[in-house]
Amino acid sequence: MRVIISGGGTGGHIFPAISIANAIKEGEPDAEILFVGAEGRMEMTRVPEAGYEIKGLPICGFDRKHLLKNFVVLFKILNSQWKAYRIIKSFKPHVVVGVGGFASGPTLKTAAMMGIPTLIQEQNSYAGVTNKLLARSAKKICVAYEGMERFFDKEKIVVTGNPVRQNLLQAVVSRDEAVRHWGLDSAKKTILVIGGSLGAGTLNNCMLSGLEEIRQSGVQFIWQTGKGYFRQVQDAVGDKGEYPMLYVTDFISKMEYAYSAADLIISRAGAGSISEFCLLKKPVILVPSPNVAEDHQTKNALALVDKCAALYVSDGEAGGKLLDLAVQTVQNPGLLEQLSTNIAKFAHYNSAGMIAEEVCKLAKTYKG
């Protein structure tokens, strides 16, 4: 069985894709899996680290601010479709899976034109334009939220949830051990601040402007800045003196330790992150990014907020209220318990296995 998995751009696309690949290999050990990503994006390093081969396409997104620059983008799309055709013709897949991100568009479109079955994994509660277009020719559409028939053919939809990193569910790390891992005090409440794999300027600015409030709060923080912001944050914190209640890092590789340590999380509202919070029953304050297509992170967040399963602060209001809300919430055991109980109701277990099962069905039908 030969499978292509295409997409990436952020950890929210890459980690679920790798989980799906691992689940396929678990059920079909002899399966050959090839990833197709976007040149220069993080999947080109993360996927090989997970033990899979990847090919890159010269694809990028449209520039909504500088429309004239999109002539280059159109050329790259055409070039990517041609390169996707050559990859597919050479690898001869029995099924092609799209997980979102720049590369999934040309890869799945080309595969469908060549008569190869395609499967889409839609992570968000609001479908993006690319997946709506790709869905017309897709055989199956795996979704994380109920009610997605407003975007897709109901007959194609399978509700699977979003795959998460397997090590998060397999890890057995006590809170005390996890807090000590970060050099913090296990007697104090701990807030984890994560802006996604690339970081979030709004969250970082909130933390920087609230350093004195953090010092006085009696609460400690694990703060992932993102690589692009790390040096600026490190210098700014260093100029203000010693902060033993702060652990600042550019990237967290041991997320199982970060989650186990956290009594409360502050995060963007990416679909992959939300799926992890649900499975791990973590209380969270969501600050959706305004810089995403269709404002889908706000829709992801409100799906939880409407069920009292998360708290919400808009990006524009974060500077004035986020830190105060976080400190008050983490010191309110009743509210933390309510958020934990309600968010757990959104959890989908074995999502990767369910998607892998659908992938293998399509591949076997095509082979037959």
Side-chain angles (χ1 to χ4, degrees):
M1 182 184 295
R2 293 184 296 278
V3 181
I4 283 179
I5 300 177
S6 185
T10 67
H13 290 128
I14 297 163
F15 297 130
I18 292 170
S19 293
I20 294 168
N22 291 343
I24 292 170
K25 291 290 281 185
E26 190 174 322
E28 298 283 342
D30 295 330
E32 295 178 38
I33 299 174
L34 174 67
F35 280 75
V36 177
E39 292 175 355
R41 305 291 289 191
M42 65 185 295
E43 60 263 28
M44 301 306 293
T45 55
R46 299 288 180 201
V47 168
E49 286 172 1
Y52 294 101
E53 183 185 359
I54 186 167
K55 304 280 187 182
L57 302 180
I59 187 74
C60 63
F62 279 100
D63 190 328
R64 292 180 171 86
K65 294 181 180 177
H66 307 96
L67 296 179
L68 292 177
K69 292 184 179 179
N70 288 321
F71 286 112
V72 176
V73 177
L74 289 171
F75 173 77
K76 287 186 174 182
I77 289 173
L78 292 172
N79 192 11
S80 294
Q81 282 189 234
W82 171 240
K83 191 167 184 181
Y85 170 78
R86 287 186 292 169
I87 291 170
I88 292 168
K89 194 162 179 63
S90 171
F91 187 70
K92 297 181 175 60
H94 301 113
V95 62
V96 176
V97 180
V99 295
F102 297 141
S104 64
T107 308
L108 268 73
K109 180 182 177 183
T110 303
M113 290 171 63
M114 296 170 72
I116 297 163
T118 61
L119 177 147
I120 295 170
Q121 194 235 337
E122 174 55 68
Q123 298 182 349
N124 296 295
S125 62
Y126 192 92
V129 173
T130 301
N131 270 357
K132 287 181 197 172
L133 294 172
L134 294 173
R136 296 173 187 172
S137 54
K139 298 295 184 185
K140 287 289 178 183
I141 303 164
C142 296
V143 301
Y145 294 86
E146 302 286 348
M148 296 301 285
E149 58 271 9
R150 67 191 191 277
F151 304 112
F152 305 127
D153 181 350
K154 186 178 180 179
E155 301 304 314
K156 297 180 179 181
I157 292 175
V158 183
V159 180
T160 60
N162 287 322
V164 300
R165 290 167 277 193
Q166 282 105 328
N167 63 321
L168 297 180
L169 300 177
Q170 295 164 354
V172 181
V173 184
S174 71
R175 181 187 179 277
D176 284 355
E177 180 188 351
V179 171
R180 288 196 301 272
H181 173 81
W182 305 107
L184 298 173
D185 183 351
S186 60
K188 290 185 176 181
K189 293 293 185 181
T190 305
I191 298 175
L192 171 64
V193 183
I194 44 177
S197 53
L198 304 178
T202 295
L203 302 189
N204 291 334
N205 291 335
C206 285
M207 294 289 287
L208 286 174
S209 63
L211 285 174
E212 190 55 38
E213 183 181 347
I214 289 169
R215 190 191 292 277
Q216 309 277 338
S217 68
V219 174
Q220 57 197 3
F221 293 78
I222 301 168
W223 177 8
Q224 179 192 293
T225 65
K227 291 191 177 181
Y229 298 97
F230 180 63
R231 186 55 58 87
Q232 169 201 348
V233 168
Q234 195 177 42
D235 292 344
V237 172
D239 289 344
K240 297 285 187 178
E242 295 292 322
Y243 281 84
M245 75 295 296
L246 272 181
Y247 182 92
V248 184
T249 182
D250 59 342
F251 181 79
I252 298 174
S253 56
K254 289 194 171 185
M255 280 304 299
E256 65 273 26
Y257 281 83
Y259 283 146
S260 293
D263 298 292
L264 175 70
I265 297 170
I266 297 172
S267 174
R268 289 304 202 190
S273 296
I274 287 177
S275 295
E276 293 178 351
F277 306 152
C278 294
L279 283 164
L280 298 172
K281 306 177 185 178
K282 285 295 174 181
V284 61
I285 300 175
L286 296 170
V287 187
S289 170
N291 307 311
V292 294
E294 315 285 339
D295 196 25
H296 67 255
Q297 285 204 5
T298 296
K299 297 176 177 73
N300 291 345
L302 293 179
L304 296 181
V305 172
D306 290 346
K307 300 292 185 182
C308 300
L311 301 181
Y312 165 81
V313 175
S314 72
D315 191 83
E317 295 177 320
K321 65 187 288 189
L322 179 60
L323 264 182
D324 282 342
L325 177 62
V327 172
Q328 291 169 19
T329 301
V330 81
Q331 294 172 334
N332 184 336
L335 179 55
L336 291 178
E337 180 64 29
Q338 179 190 44
L339 293 171
S340 176
T341 299
N342 289 340
I343 201 169
K345 296 173 184 175
F346 285 81
H348 288 275
Y349 295 90
N350 193 32
S351 295
M354 292 173 68
I355 296 169
E357 187 177 333
E358 296 297 330
V359 171
C360 291
K361 282 181 191 173
L362 290 177
K364 287 173 181 174
T365 300
Y366 180 72
K367 285 178 72 176

